[in-house]
Amino acid sequence: MAGPGGKKEKVDKADKAGKKKKDLKKETGLGLSVKKDENFGEWFCKHEMIEYYDISGCYILRPWSMAIWEIMQIFFDAEIKKMKVKSCYCPLFVSPGVLEKEKDHIEGFAPEVAWVTKSGKHDLEVPIAIRPTSETVMYPYYSKWIRGHRDLPLKLNQWCNVVRWEFSNPTPFIRSREFLWQEGHTAFATKEEADEEVLQILELYRRIYEEYLAVPVVKGMKSENEKFAGGLYTTSVEAFIPNTGRGVQGATSHCLGQNFAKMFEINYENEKGETAMVWQNSWAYSTRTIGVMIMTHGDDKGLVLPPKVASVQVVVIPVPYKDANTQGIFDACVATVAALEKAGIRAEADLRDNYSPGWKYSNWEMKGVPLRIEIGPRDLENKQVRTVRRDNGVKEDIPSESLVEHVEKLLGEIQQNMFQVAKQKREACVEEVKTWDEFTEALNKKKLILAPWCDEEEVERDVKARTKGETGAAKTLCSPFEQPELPQGTLCFASGKPATKWTYWGRSY
Amino acid sequence: MAGPGGKKEKVDKADKAGKKKKDLKKETGLGLSVKKDENFGEWFCKHEMIEYYDISGCYILRPWSMAIWEIMQIFFDAEIKKMKVKSCYCPLFVSPGVLEKEKDHIEGFAPEVAWVTKSGKHDLEVPIAIRPTSETVMYPYYSKWIRGHRDLPLKLNQWCNVVRWEFSNPTPFIRSREFLWQEGHTAFATKEEADEEVLQILELYRRIYEEYLAVPVVKGMKSENEKFAGGLYTTSVEAFIPNTGRGVQGATSHCLGQNFAKMFEINYENEKGETAMVWQNSWAYSTRTIGVMIMTHGDDKGLVLPPKVASVQVVVIPVPYKDANTQGIFDACVATVAALEKAGIRAEADLRDNYSPGWKYSNWEMKGVPLRIEIGPRDLENKQVRTVRRDNGVKEDIPSESLVEHVEKLLGEIQQNMFQVAKQKREACVEEVKTWDEFTEALNKKKLILAPWCDEEEVERDVKARTKGETGAAKTLCSPFEQPELPQGTLCFASGKPATKWTYWGRSY
C-alpha cells in the first residue's frame, strides 16, 4: 500500500513529535515555558485539549475539549429540536456525479476534497469523495421526500465529521483537515420562512459564543466573495483575537435560495396544485468554536475556561501542614466536592499525595479550571474555605455553611466577567477608517477595521491583492447588521466610489 | 476523476431506485404490498427508517431511526460516564504503518479497508486508511499518555462513524459499509480489572437490547475463530431472528490482553518503580442494534417499536363524522397530546385533513407507533378515548380523567409484552443436538442450535466447510455463560471428541 519510504517518514515524524513533547515536559513539569503567542499548536497541546496526530492536519480531541463540545451540543440540539428540526445521518461518501452537479459549489470545494480510490487491494470502479459538507449528499433525496406542500418545511440536522484537505498551515481546532460539526439543512415553501430561520439559527450561534464560551461576536452579512459556494447569501457570527489581530469566522447560517433546488429538482405541489420550487437553508458550527474560545481567554499561565463549558468548574485542593490534621483536611475536601456536586456544580478534589499544593495550583490554572478552593488547617478551624478565581486571581474566604450559594454566585460572576473583559479588549481593537492610508496603518496595528465600502467584488479582490504579504491578505469579515450611520456622500475607503455600507475588514484565520 | 461511464452508471442506479419506490408508493399508498420476509431492504425503506443511497452499502438514517439511536445513546453514555469513562474524538484516518503494526488485527480488517489516495487532483504522498475501528489510531498515544500507575485506569469512548468496505450483500443497519457506533478503549494495571469491565459493559449491552429494544439476547464467549482480531477473548450478546433462522451478533466487549500493549509499547511505572505493561479492553455497539430490533418485532403491517425507544409513543387520531362536532373532536385530540406531553410521554396528533382515519391507522401502524388513541363523537360524549395497541391490537376505552395513568400503564405493558413474546419465539427455536445428523436436521429447520463442542478451531472450520451452501455456512454464535449441565463423557457433536462446553451454532447475519 504505502512505499516503505513513505511509512518510515510518517513513523519518524511521530517519534520526533513524541520526544519533543517529552523533553519539554521534563524541562518544566508543566510546559509553562510555552508562551501562548509563540507556538500556538504546542500551547494547545500542553493543556490536554488535543494531541497532535501522525497525519498532518489531524488532531485527537481529548476529554478536556470533548466535554466542552458535548455541553454545547446538548444546548444547541435541544434548541433546534424546539424548532422542530429532526436528526438524521447521511453517508460520509459522495459519488462524483452528484458532488459536481452544482458548479459554483464544487469549484469552492474541489481542491480540498479527499478521494477514496481503493478498498483492500482493489481499485474502486469509480473514485468516491469524502464529504466536505453534505448539500450534495442530501439534496437528491430532498427531491424524493418532498412531494407536496404538506411535506414542508423539511428540517434536518446531523452531527458528524467532515474532511477538507487544506494545505494552508493547519492549526488545532481552527483549521484542521477533519473536524466535527453539526450541519442543518432545511427546505421551505417561501423565501420569508427561510430568511426568518437563517436569523433564528444565527442567534443560537451568538448565544453559544457569548453565553457559553464568553466570546463576543458580531452578527453580519458575508460579502459576495466570502459567501457559501453556491448559496444566495451567508450570515455569520465573527470573532476577533486581539493578541494576533485576526478575525475568525465563528459560525455561518446560509440562505441557499433556490439554486440547489434547481440543480436537484426539489419541487413540490403547492396548495393551488401548481409545481413550485423550495427555498433552502444550510447552517453549521464546528469544533472551531473551541479554538476561538481558547484563543480569546487563554493567558501565559494556560487556559481559562468559562464556567458554563468547563468540565471541572471547581477544583478542591488540600493544603496540609506537617503538624496539622491532614485526615480532617482531606475529609473536608471530599465533603466540599460532595456538597458542590449535590448542587449540580462540576467539582473535583485533587488528593494526589505526590504533588505539592503549589504544583497543583499551577497545574489546574494551566488547565483553566474557573475556580480553585483551598482547604488548610486554619480554614478547617474557622469552618471556611479559600476560593481563588482563575479569571482575575481574586482570593476570598467563604464560610463553609454558605459554600454552595457563594460558589454559584462566583461562577456566575466569572462567566460574566470573562465576557465583559473579552468584549472590552475587542472593542479597544476596533478602528474606523475612511481612507486607504488609514486602512493600511490600522491593518499594520492589527486592528479590527470598520470601513465604508462600495460593496463591489472587484474592489475586495483588489484590496486582497494590495495587502498580500506573509501575514496574509486583508479581506472582509462581515457587514454588521448593526450599521453605524453612513452620511450621504461617504466614499469607499478603497475605491473612492460611493459607499453603500460599513464593513469589517482584517486579516483572518 | 470518475470516467463518464462510471458516473452515468451511478446516476442511472439512483434514478431506477427512485422510480421503483415511487411506483410502489402509488400502487398501495403505503407500501404494505411489501412483505417483511420477501424483500428486507425494501421493507426497511417503506417505514422511513432509512433511504437507499446511490453508493451501494451506504444508507441514509432518517429521523425515524436516528431518534431511536439517540435514545440509546443517552442511556449508554450516562452509564459509562458513571464508570468514569470519558469522551474523546480520534481522527477518521490511519497511516498505513500504524494500521499494519498488529498483524492478526490487520489481517482481520485489511480486505475491508477503504483507502484515500488523492486530495483534489493530487495524489497523496502515502495512501491513508479510513478507520474500520480505532485500536491502531488510539494506542500509539496511549503509550504516550500512560506513564505511571496514577495514569491508570485510562478509560476513553468515542461516538463516531467507521467504514468497512464489505462485499457480502449489504443489508440496512445489519451490514453496511459505513455505520455509526461507540467504541470504548480502556487500559488497566491488572487483568482482573480488565476482566471485570468486560462484563460490566456486556451487561449494559444486554440492557440496551432487553430493556430498551425488547430483544432477548444471550451473553456468552466467542470462539477462537470468531473473536476480535488481535484480542485475547471476546464476549458478546447474541440475538436470533426466528423468521430467517439466523443468529446475529448484537454487540461485543473484548479483552485485548497485552497484545496491543506489546505492539504499541504501552508501559507504565508501577508502585514498586518497575516497568509494567497495561491490560486493555475495547467494546462497541453500533446502529446494527436498530436492525436487530426491527427484524425481531416487525410484522407484515410494518414496524413495531418498543415504547422506550419510539420517538412517537402515542399517536392521537380524530375520527369525525359528518353530523358530529368536528371542532370539538380536534380540540380533544390537541388537549390529549398536551396532557400526555406534560407527563413526559412522546405523543403526536395526526390532524391532516386529506387522509381518512382508516388510512391514518394503517400509516401509523406501518411506522410502528406503540399506541394509537382514537377520538370520535361517542368518545367525546362519554369523556373517554379509545386506545389500540400496536403489539397485539387490543382495543380499550379509557376515561379521559385517568388518561395519563392508563397510557403510562399501557406503554409499560407493551414494552414488557414485546420482550416476552420475542423471548418465547426465540426459545421455541432453540434445539439441543448431540449428533451431526441432529445438527444438520436442526440447521435445515432454521433452529438456534445448542450443541456440546470440543472447542477446537479446526472443528469449527470443518463444520463451516461441511455446511457451506447458498444460504451460508453454520458457525458458532457463542458459548453461553449460563451452561446447561454437561454430563461426564459427553462427546462433541461434530468431532466425536470429548465435549468441553455447550455452544450455540447457526447461520448468522
Side-chain angles (χ1 to χ4, degrees):
Chain A
M1 310 177 180
K7 270 188 217 166
K8 194 168 166 316
E9 188 204 347
K10 290 252 172 261
V11 176
D12 289 348
K13 268 198 206 126
D15 288 351
K16 278 203 208 74
K19 278 205 200 54
K20 196 166 163 204
K21 292 198 189 58
K22 269 174 240 159
D23 300 343
L24 254 164
K25 264 226 182 66
K26 281 209 205 68
E27 174 193 315
T28 67
L30 287 177
L32 291 183
S33 65
V34 182
K35 290 260 180 292
K36 183 182 166 199
D37 302 346
E38 285 165 10
N39 179 340
F40 205 58
E42 190 87 314
W43 187 87
F44 268 118
C45 240
K46 291 287 140 217
H47 311 95
E48 298 179 19
M49 299 293 273
I50 61 140
E51 186 65 66
Y52 273 72
Y53 192 61
D54 77 332
I55 295 173
S56 159
C58 297
Y59 307 94
I60 295 173
L61 300 183
R62 300 184 65 183
W64 204 240
S65 56
M66 271 310 281
I68 295 170
W69 181 245
E70 288 179 340
I71 288 167
M72 293 190 285
Q73 193 171 15
I74 288 165
F75 161 75
F76 187 79
D77 200 66
E79 288 298 322
I80 60 176
K81 278 176 173 152
K82 288 182 203 161
M83 295 168 63
K84 303 259 181 269
V85 176
K86 291 182 170 174
S87 296
C88 69
Y89 183 77
C90 296
L92 174 69
F93 298 119
V94 199
S95 54
V98 181
L99 180 67
E100 289 155 5
K101 209 155 185 173
E102 208 298 314
K103 288 301 161 217
D104 296 343
H105 183 66
I106 187 59
E107 265 177 37
F109 287 104
E112 300 174 356
V113 170
W115 291 91
V116 176
T117 64
K118 296 172 66 180
S119 75
K121 295 198 171 325
H122 312 288
D123 290 338
L124 297 185
E125 203 181 291
V126 183
I128 293 172
I130 300 181
R131 64 182 165 216
T133 178
S134 301
E135 281 75 9
T136 59
V137 173
M138 296 168 111
Y139 298 167
Y141 300 91
Y142 277 45
S143 74
K144 192 175 155 197
W145 296 331
I146 297 171
R147 298 247 168 273
H149 58 90
R150 286 191 189 75
D151 300 324
L152 294 173
L154 177 61
K155 302 182 180 186
L156 298 178
N157 178 72
Q158 67 182 11
W159 296 92
C160 64
N161 55 339
V162 290
V163 172
R164 297 177 187 179
W165 207 264
E166 306 198 41
F167 287 93
S168 47
N169 64 322
T171 311
F173 297 111
I174 299 301
R175 187 174 299 281
S176 55
R177 286 173 168 178
E178 179 194 8
F179 54 86
L180 301 181
W181 77 351
Q182 62 59 228
E183 52 180 320
H185 296 270
T186 54
F188 300 89
T190 66
K191 181 166 188 300
E192 291 60 41
E193 292 168 277
D195 290 335
E196 186 190 358
E197 189 205 56
V198 164
L199 296 182
Q200 286 172 335
I201 294 295
L202 195 66
E203 171 61 9
L204 291 179
Y205 291 153
R206 183 197 67 75
R207 291 182 59 193
I208 286 176
Y209 273 100
E210 299 198 333
E211 294 178 13
Y212 280 77
L213 302 174
V215 171
V217 290
V218 176
K219 283 181 179 180
M221 186 71 69
K222 285 295 208 183
S223 70
E224 277 300 305
N225 286 314
E226 295 296 324
K227 79 176 186 184
F228 181 71
L232 179 59
Y233 66 84
T234 292
T235 67
S236 72
V237 287
E238 299 283 330
F240 184 79
I241 311 301
N243 307 44
T244 58
R246 290 181 183 273
V248 51
Q249 178 175 290
T252 47
S253 182
H254 315 289
C255 180
L256 303 179
Q258 297 187 304
N259 191 20
F260 286 88
K262 266 193 212 72
M263 294 303 149
F264 293 100
E265 297 169 347
I266 312 178
N267 305 316
Y268 69 98
E269 187 182 298
N270 67 16
E271 289 84 345
K272 306 189 199 79
E274 309 152 344
T275 299
M277 194 174 278
V278 301
W279 292 85
Q280 291 177 278
N281 295 339
S282 72
W283 28 272
Y285 81 91
S286 75
T287 37
R288 164 176 272 206
T289 46
I290 300 171
V292 175
M293 179 273 283
I294 293 170
M295 292 196 289
T296 300
H297 302 301
D299 59 27
D300 289 342
K301 282 182 169 178
L303 300 173
V304 186
L305 300 179
K308 264 188 130 169
V309 294
S311 57
V312 177
Q313 297 172 305
V314 181
V315 62
V316 181
I317 297 174
V319 190
Y321 289 102
K322 281 199 198 58
D323 57 346
N325 167 7
T326 304
Q327 191 52 50
I329 290 171
F330 273 56
D331 296 346
C333 290
V334 172
T336 302
V337 167
L340 293 172
E341 282 182 331
K342 193 154 168 288
I345 297 165
R346 299 186 288 269
E348 197 173 297
D350 184 349
L351 305 177
R352 290 176 289 180
D353 53 16
N354 58 324
Y355 294 113
S356 70
W359 189 96
K360 291 177 182 175
Y361 296 169
S362 337
N363 182 238
W364 291 102
E365 279 173 348
M366 179 182 71
K367 292 184 75 175
V369 171
L371 191 67
R372 175 171 85 234
I373 289 183
E374 309 168 1
I375 302 181
R378 183 183 292 102
D379 303 301
L380 205 55
E381 230 168 71
N382 306 346
K383 299 199 168 47
Q384 65 182 32
V385 303
R386 157 70 55 97
T387 61
V388 184
R389 287 171 59 157
R390 174 64 175 96
D391 61 327
N392 60 13
V394 170
K395 297 180 164 65
E396 201 182 341
D397 292 327
I398 65 176
S400 303
E401 84 243 15
S402 58
L403 171 77
V404 169
E405 302 79 319
H406 264 87
V407 169
E408 276 168 345
K409 193 165 146 296
L410 276 169
L411 292 176
E413 285 169 13
I414 293 169
Q415 184 80 31
Q416 273 316 307
N417 181 59
M418 287 180 69
F419 176 68
Q420 290 310 331
V421 168
K423 195 165 186 186
Q424 284 152 18
K425 278 195 195 153
R426 188 198 60 184
E427 273 155 14
C429 295
V430 176
E431 191 152 311
E432 268 190 34
V433 309
K434 295 275 178 56
T435 68
W436 180 257
D437 291 348
E438 291 171 1
F439 177 79
T440 48
E441 193 191 339
L443 193 62
N444 296 336
K445 289 190 298 177
K446 296 184 166 184
K447 294 297 187 179
L448 171 53
I449 302 169
L450 185 59
W453 181 38
C454 61
D455 197 12
E456 290 180 13
E457 292 185 57
E458 314 70 49
V459 173
E460 178 167 11
R461 274 193 289 273
D462 179 53
V463 170
K464 277 185 182 167
R466 289 160 72 184
T467 55
K468 210 173 242 98
E470 69 280 347
T471 51
K475 62 177 189 178
T476 58
L477 305 174
C478 75
S479 297
F481 291 142
E482 285 183 12
Q483 285 276 319
E485 202 221 331
L486 187 70
Q488 266 298 346
T490 307
L491 300 179
C492 170
F493 77 99
S495 68
K497 299 177 185 174
T500 61
K501 54 168 59 159
W502 289 93
T503 300
Y504 280 108
W505 294 75
R507 296 200 172 88
S508 79
Y509 284 97
Chain B
M1 313 174 176
K7 270 188 218 167
K8 195 169 164 316
E9 186 203 348
K10 290 250 173 265
V11 177
D12 289 348
K13 269 196 205 128
D15 288 351
K16 277 204 209 75
K19 279 204 199 54
K20 197 165 162 205
K21 294 203 188 54
K22 271 176 241 159
D23 301 343
L24 256 166
K25 265 225 181 63
K26 281 208 206 69
E27 175 192 316
T28 68
L30 287 177
L32 290 184
S33 64
V34 181
K35 289 262 181 290
K36 184 181 163 199
D37 302 347
E38 287 166 9
N39 179 339
F40 206 57
E42 189 87 315
W43 186 88
F44 268 118
C45 238
K46 291 290 140 216
H47 314 95
E48 298 178 18
M49 299 293 273
I50 61 136
E51 185 65 66
Y52 273 73
Y53 191 62
D54 77 332
I55 295 172
S56 160
C58 297
Y59 308 93
I60 295 173
L61 300 184
R62 300 185 66 184
W64 203 241
S65 57
M66 272 308 282
I68 295 170
W69 182 245
E70 287 179 340
I71 288 167
M72 292 190 286
Q73 193 171 17
I74 287 166
F75 161 75
F76 188 80
D77 200 66
E79 288 298 321
I80 59 176
K81 277 176 175 154
K82 287 182 204 162
M83 294 168 64
K84 303 262 183 265
V85 176
K86 290 182 171 174
S87 297
C88 69
Y89 184 77
C90 296
L92 173 69
F93 298 119
V94 198
S95 54
V98 181
L99 180 66
E100 290 155 5
K101 208 155 185 173
E102 208 299 311
K103 288 300 162 218
D104 296 342
H105 184 66
I106 186 59
E107 263 177 37
F109 287 104
E112 299 174 355
V113 170
W115 291 91
V116 177
T117 63
K118 295 173 67 178
S119 74
K121 295 198 171 325
H122 311 288
D123 289 339
L124 296 184
E125 204 180 289
V126 182
I128 293 172
I130 299 180
R131 63 179 167 219
T133 177
S134 300
E135 280 76 9
T136 59
V137 172
M138 297 168 114
Y139 299 167
Y141 300 90
Y142 276 43
S143 73
K144 191 173 157 198
W145 297 330
I146 298 170
R147 297 246 169 275
H149 58 90
R150 286 190 189 76
D151 301 324
L152 295 173
L154 177 61
K155 302 182 179 186
L156 298 179
N157 178 70
Q158 65 182 11
W159 296 92
C160 65
N161 55 339
V162 290
V163 172
R164 297 178 186 179
W165 208 265
E166 308 198 40
F167 287 93
S168 48
N169 63 323
T171 311
F173 296 111
I174 299 300
R175 186 174 300 280
S176 56
R177 286 173 169 178
E178 179 195 7
F179 55 85
L180 300 181
W181 75 353
Q182 64 57 229
E183 52 180 320
H185 296 271
T186 56
F188 301 88
T190 66
K191 180 166 188 299
E192 291 60 38
E193 292 168 278
D195 290 335
E196 187 190 0
E197 190 205 55
V198 164
L199 296 183
Q200 286 173 334
I201 294 295
L202 196 66
E203 171 61 10
L204 291 179
Y205 291 151
R206 184 198 64 77
R207 291 182 59 194
I208 286 176
Y209 273 100
E210 299 198 333
E211 294 178 13
Y212 280 77
L213 301 174
V215 172
V217 289
V218 175
K219 283 182 179 180
M221 186 72 70
K222 285 296 208 182
S223 70
E224 276 301 304
N225 286 314
E226 295 296 323
K227 79 176 186 185
F228 181 70
L232 178 60
Y233 65 84
T234 291
T235 68
S236 71
V237 289
E238 300 283 329
F240 184 79
I241 311 301
N243 308 44
T244 59
R246 288 179 184 275
V248 51
Q249 178 175 290
T252 48
S253 182
H254 315 290
C255 179
L256 303 179
Q258 296 187 304
N259 192 20
F260 285 89
K262 266 192 213 75
M263 294 303 149
F264 293 101
E265 296 167 352
I266 311 178
N267 304 317
Y268 69 99
E269 189 182 294
N270 67 17
E271 289 84 344
K272 308 191 198 79
E274 309 152 343
T275 300
M277 196 173 277
V278 301
W279 292 85
Q280 292 178 276
N281 294 340
S282 72
W283 27 272
Y285 81 91
S286 75
T287 36
R288 164 177 271 207
T289 46
I290 301 171
V292 176
M293 179 273 282
I294 293 170
M295 291 197 290
T296 301
H297 302 301
D299 59 28
D300 289 342
K301 281 180 169 182
L303 301 172
V304 186
L305 300 180
K308 263 188 133 170
V309 294
S311 57
V312 177
Q313 298 172 304
V314 181
V315 62
V316 181
I317 296 174
V319 191
Y321 288 101
K322 277 197 202 60
D323 58 345
N325 167 7
T326 305
Q327 190 52 49
I329 290 171
F330 273 57
D331 295 346
C333 290
V334 172
T336 303
V337 168
L340 293 173
E341 283 182 331
K342 191 154 168 290
I345 296 164
R346 299 185 288 271
E348 197 173 297
D350 185 348
L351 305 178
R352 290 176 290 180
D353 53 17
N354 60 322
Y355 293 114
S356 70
W359 189 94
K360 292 178 183 177
Y361 295 169
S362 338
N363 182 238
W364 290 103
E365 278 174 351
M366 179 183 70
K367 293 185 73 176
V369 172
L371 192 66
R372 175 170 86 235
I373 289 183
E374 309 168 1
I375 302 182
R378 182 182 292 100
D379 304 301
L380 205 56
E381 231 167 72
N382 306 347
K383 297 199 168 49
Q384 67 182 31
V385 303
R386 157 71 56 96
T387 60
V388 185
R389 286 172 60 158
R390 174 65 176 94
D391 62 327
N392 60 12
V394 170
K395 295 181 166 63
E396 201 182 342
D397 291 328
I398 63 174
S400 303
E401 84 244 14
S402 58
L403 171 77
V404 169
E405 302 79 320
H406 264 86
V407 169
E408 276 168 345
K409 190 164 149 297
L410 276 169
L411 292 176
E413 286 169 11
I414 293 169
Q415 183 81 31
Q416 273 318 307
N417 181 59
M418 286 179 70
F419 177 68
Q420 290 310 332
V421 168
K423 194 165 186 188
Q424 284 153 18
K425 277 194 195 156
R426 188 200 60 184
E427 275 155 14
C429 295
V430 177
E431 192 153 310
E432 267 189 36
V433 310
K434 295 274 179 60
T435 68
W436 180 257
D437 292 346
E438 291 173 0
F439 178 79
T440 48
E441 192 190 340
L443 195 62
N444 295 336
K445 288 190 299 175
K446 296 182 165 185
K447 294 294 188 180
L448 172 53
I449 303 168
L450 186 59
W453 181 38
C454 60
D455 197 11
E456 289 180 14
E457 290 185 59
E458 315 69 51
V459 174
E460 177 167 13
R461 273 192 290 273
D462 179 53
V463 171
K464 276 184 183 167
R466 290 161 71 185
T467 54
K468 210 174 246 98
E470 70 281 346
T471 51
K475 61 177 189 177
T476 59
L477 305 174
C478 75
S479 296
F481 290 142
E482 284 183 14
Q483 284 277 319
E485 201 219 332
L486 187 69
Q488 266 298 346
T490 308
L491 301 179
C492 171
F493 76 99
S495 67
K497 299 176 184 174
T500 60
K501 51 167 64 159
W502 289 93
T503 300
Y504 280 108
W505 295 75
R507 296 199 173 90
S508 79
Y509 282 98

